[in-house]
Amino acid sequence: MAQQEDVFKKLVAHCKEYGFVFPSSEIYDGLGAVYDYGQNGVELKNNIKRYWWDSMVLLHENVVGIDAAIFMHPTTWKASGHVDAFNDPLIDNKDSKKRYRADVLIEDLLAKYDDKIEKEVEKAAKRFGESFDAALYRQTNPRVQEHQAKRDEIHARFVKALNDSDLAELKQIIVDYEVVCPISGTKNWTDVRQFNLMFSTEMGSTADGAMKIYLRPETAQGIFVNYLNVQKTGRMKIPFGIAQIGKAFRNEIVARQFIFRMREFEQMEMQFFVRPGTEMEWFKKWKETRLKWHKALGLGDHKYRFHDHDKLAHYANAATDIEFEMPFGFKEVEGIHSRTDFDLSSHEKYSGKSIKYFDPELNESYTPYVIETSIGVDRTFLSIMAASYTEEQLENGESRVVLKLPAVLAPIKLAVMPLVKKDGLPEKAREIMNSLKFDFKCQYDEKDSIGKRYRRQDAIGTPFCVTVDHDSLTDNTVTIRYRDTMQQERVPVEKLHEIIGQKVSMKELFKKIVE
Ligand code: GAP
């Protein structure tokens, strides 16, 4: 674990050093849990967004997109339940003065029991060798059983406390299981209180009677309030979906782990409107589709898992997370929720406007049910960076840091490098770059030794480096070097487009999702 934390620190430093992510307003010492994306980060982020957007609106003829405003009429948030129920239970340690989410402290406690169980099983697996039956061991070993019983007991109390919104019981669990503050090491806790996560501001001058408005905490409501507009103007037939990418804002109590939990972040959300009674079928279908989208990136299938929610949000009748194995454990990257007709019905009630759909096949009107897929751009970014960051020891005794990003998402697709800065090689390199730059994001680099230039490109994840030498001038061939294998190949200039195009095409990813 300590080793993983070390890697994570290095990753954060790497993101800054190579222009991926900077702390916001850093010259003023930054702003808590707010980050800026640099020149390479924004390219990677845009590629992630394009992968998601096209997977929704290109691959599904019944999914269309919108781009709603961040500011919305304040009644939106009353209707959505966010004014009353978008709270986190917080608790302070009186000695360190640090604030925590009570539910996160208890989840960490549960994870500790999971770790204990896994360690027992791993130890036994080593002791017994090939004949070891892990499932049987879990069922019969007294120590594992003891940990499991404790875990189940805490879990049951936790779920009940969450569902009953019983803040006193949440504190009692923390007290009973002697959870200590990681900073002060003490158990000196305040009571648990609810804290609303929405940011608010005022619109209009006070003289006119300013209106309190919120910065949207999710993009989904922009879709719900436009449901009728899109359905009518697009003549959409149920089932259909509306997709959107945009910023969301939450005043997170415990903002930590870099861009994992931010106060300003970006979501990619899709609301899929279905006939009531068919929602579980669509819930299952979207779970499968979304997992395929993640796995198609090739970061390792074992790094993903589903996690069903213990406590359902105020709008949901089923919910699951797609978790990714970050350097700090399995964490939520995407939520898939069956939101019933909660949002549309509520907007209907608060606005007084009918939001019904007339289903010509059933010859009846109803309020559609909704399946939502909601993924964070920043968490996806972090998962891709974490899985790609690699430190390698080379045969010649040197080491390199390489970002093994999926080629299709890499900020720069190829670097074009003249071997030397003279003899017409820069001109030839420019000529090659000019022929490729309309299709691929290219970078020209002529400074330092070729070795150093390769390392620079490795560090930002450029999948191809093309070197132009003296022979290139006569035979029109170049050396192409592949990032992951470091292998080099001599190829005719006119083959470059095909070689690179094949590897960076989103079409290949899309085929994996639809097959
Ligand atoms: N509309 C449903 C919704 O917003 P959510 O589970 O609260 O559901 C969806 O958020 C996704 O948004 C999460 O899976 C996560 O990727 C991202 N997200 C939520 N809060 C975030 C934060 N503070 N920082 C970064 N990403 C966040």
Side-chain angles (χ1 to χ4, degrees):
M1 201 64 189
Q3 204 187 354
Q4 286 292 76
E5 276 167 24
D6 213 31
V7 172
F8 186 54
K9 274 193 197 142
K10 285 189 197 169
L11 176 66
V12 175
H14 190 89
C15 280
K16 188 174 161 201
E17 189 178 346
Y18 287 94
F20 283 89
V21 183
F22 307 124
S24 159
S25 21
E26 199 189 2
I27 55 168
Y28 297 108
D29 296 332
L31 182 67
V34 186
Y35 290 89
D36 298 339
Y37 286 82
Q39 67 279 15
N40 290 317
V42 70
E43 294 291 343
L44 173 56
K45 201 177 178 211
N46 284 343
N47 292 339
I48 293 169
K49 289 196 269 185
R50 190 160 72 79
Y51 175 41
W52 183 87
W53 185 263
D54 285 354
S55 77
M56 287 294 170
V57 304
L58 273 188
L59 299 193
H60 300 97
E61 57 186 277
N62 59 350
V63 177
V64 293
I66 61 162
D67 183 19
I70 288 170
F71 292 150
M72 300 181 72
H73 193 282
T75 310
T76 308
W77 304 111
K78 191 74 193 149
S80 69
H82 284 81
V83 171
D84 298 318
F86 194 53
N87 301 316
D88 272 348
L90 69 87
I91 188 166
D92 291 7
N93 181 269
K94 291 183 198 161
D95 299 318
S96 67
K97 310 270 183 275
K98 286 276 169 205
R99 183 161 287 178
Y100 299 91
R101 269 175 58 179
D103 55 332
V104 172
L105 286 180
I106 298 171
E107 274 166 10
D108 289 348
L109 176 70
L110 289 168
K112 274 192 192 135
Y113 280 96
D114 289 337
D115 276 354
K116 282 183 189 174
I117 294 169
E118 285 320 304
K119 281 208 182 100
E120 291 290 345
V121 176
E122 271 170 34
K123 261 197 321 208
K126 276 200 195 123
R127 217 170 41 237
F128 295 115
E130 278 193 1
S131 61
F132 182 62
D133 181 341
L136 187 66
Y137 190 79
R138 281 175 202 277
Q139 280 166 19
T140 52
N141 178 270
R143 230 197 318 254
V144 170
Q145 293 271 289
E146 198 183 309
H147 292 321
Q148 189 64 49
K150 249 300 150 35
R151 190 206 183 277
D152 292 346
E153 178 188 305
I154 302 169
H155 187 249
R157 280 180 69 180
F158 178 47
V159 173
K160 184 163 183 331
L162 286 178
N163 284 324
D164 297 349
S165 298
D166 186 345
L167 302 184
E169 172 65 354
L170 284 179
K171 170 155 184 199
Q172 203 52 51
I173 297 172
I174 289 169
V175 171
D176 289 352
Y177 293 94
E178 304 192 336
V179 174
V180 295
C181 164
I183 308 289
S184 66
T186 70
K187 295 174 257 176
N188 197 6
W189 298 107
T190 62
D191 286 342
V192 177
R193 306 183 297 291
Q194 290 288 24
F195 177 80
N196 192 284
L197 298 183
M198 282 198 293
F199 283 104
S200 65
T201 184
E202 291 192 342
M203 184 175 269
S205 73
T206 28
D208 300 340
M211 178 159 62
K212 179 175 176 181
I213 54 165
Y214 297 99
L215 274 70
R216 65 181 178 197
E218 62 169 11
T219 58
Q221 296 304 323
I223 294 179
F224 289 123
V225 299
N226 277 296
Y227 160 79
L228 267 188
N229 286 336
V230 175
Q231 193 273 319
K232 289 213 153 65
T233 58
R235 293 181 296 117
M236 307 301 291
K237 297 225 165 8
I238 277 186
F240 75 92
I242 305 178
Q244 176 171 219
I245 299 179
K247 289 276 181 130
F249 305 83
R250 294 182 191 177
N251 196 2
E252 297 284 359
I253 306 162
V254 189
R256 59 178 174 185
Q257 283 145 344
F258 190 38
I259 54 172
F260 182 78
R261 196 175 299 287
M262 302 158 90
R263 294 198 167 105
E264 173 179 342
F265 57 99
E266 209 163 356
Q267 290 185 315
M268 305 187 280
E269 298 201 296
M270 196 276 305
Q271 315 297 130
F272 198 72
F273 301 92
V274 304
R275 249 182 217 169
T278 64
E279 70 272 17
M280 284 308 154
E281 193 185 305
W282 286 107
F283 179 65
K284 187 165 166 275
K285 186 182 171 309
W286 278 108
K287 268 176 73 173
E288 284 162 14
T289 307
R290 293 304 305 145
L291 190 62
K292 277 190 191 170
W293 182 92
H294 286 276
K295 287 187 173 173
L297 288 173
L299 304 177
D301 289 3
H302 62 285
K303 287 185 178 280
Y304 299 93
R305 70 180 189 196
F306 283 119
H307 174 248
D308 294 333
H309 285 204
D310 284 333
K311 180 183 190 253
L312 293 174
H314 56 274
Y315 48 71
N317 70 355
T320 196
D321 294 336
I322 295 178
E323 294 187 336
F324 183 83
E325 192 177 14
M326 300 278 187
F328 40 88
F330 272 94
K331 297 285 168 193
E332 172 191 347
V333 172
E334 171 157 6
I336 300 160
H337 312 122
S338 172
R339 288 181 80 129
T340 66
D341 61 351
F342 174 86
D343 302 87
L344 289 184
S345 294
S346 193
H347 287 304
E348 188 166 44
K349 191 172 112 202
Y350 277 84
S351 68
K353 313 245 161 55
S354 165
I355 313 187
K356 296 267 188 302
Y357 173 78
F358 177 74
D359 192 325
E361 281 174 37
L362 297 181
N363 201 24
E364 69 179 59
S365 292
Y366 53 77
T367 307
Y369 270 42
V370 172
I371 303 302
E372 164 183 75
T373 71
S374 174
I375 171 171
V377 179
D378 313 273
R379 287 192 190 175
T380 310
F381 183 106
L382 183 59
S383 64
I384 292 168
M385 287 295 274
S388 304
Y389 181 87
T390 316
E391 293 175 359
E392 278 182 357
Q393 217 49 52
L394 306 180
E395 277 171 13
N396 63 6
E398 289 179 12
S399 63
R400 70 165 182 160
V401 172
V402 51
L403 279 188
K404 295 189 172 177
L405 295 171
V408 58
L409 300 182
I412 309 288
K413 300 295 188 256
L414 82 150
V416 186
M417 313 169 164
L419 192 60
V420 289
K421 272 193 270 185
K422 55 183 184 182
D423 305 335
L425 300 192
E427 290 76 9
K428 180 72 183 168
R430 287 270 179 211
E431 182 191 308
I432 294 171
M433 184 157 147
N434 285 340
S435 71
L436 294 170
K437 73 178 182 190
F438 300 107
D439 292 312
F440 313 116
K441 177 91 181 140
C442 308
Q443 196 169 75
Y444 177 81
D445 192 1
E446 60 176 21
K447 200 168 174 291
D448 299 321
S449 70
I450 276 289
K452 272 197 183 154
R453 284 183 259 172
Y454 283 159
R455 290 291 170 276
R456 273 203 292 270
Q457 295 300 331
D458 286 345
I460 61 169
T462 307
F464 306 101
C465 288
V466 167
T467 307
V468 176
D469 58 22
H470 290 91
D471 289 342
S472 310
L473 301 178
T474 50
D475 64 6
N476 208 32
T477 63
V478 287
T479 302
I480 184 163
R481 180 226 188 226
Y482 299 96
R483 178 195 67 198
D484 296 350
T485 58
M486 294 192 293
Q487 271 176 352
Q488 301 187 12
E489 200 183 353
R490 196 80 194 168
V491 299
V493 168
E494 58 277 10
K495 286 281 273 181
L496 284 175
H497 193 283
E498 188 188 327
I499 296 172
I500 297 163
Q502 263 173 7
K503 289 272 163 36
V504 304
S505 143
M506 277 204 188
K507 199 168 160 187
E508 296 308 311
L509 293 190
F510 292 148
K511 280 193 209 156
K512 289 188 205 165
I513 303 173
V514 294
E515 75 197 8

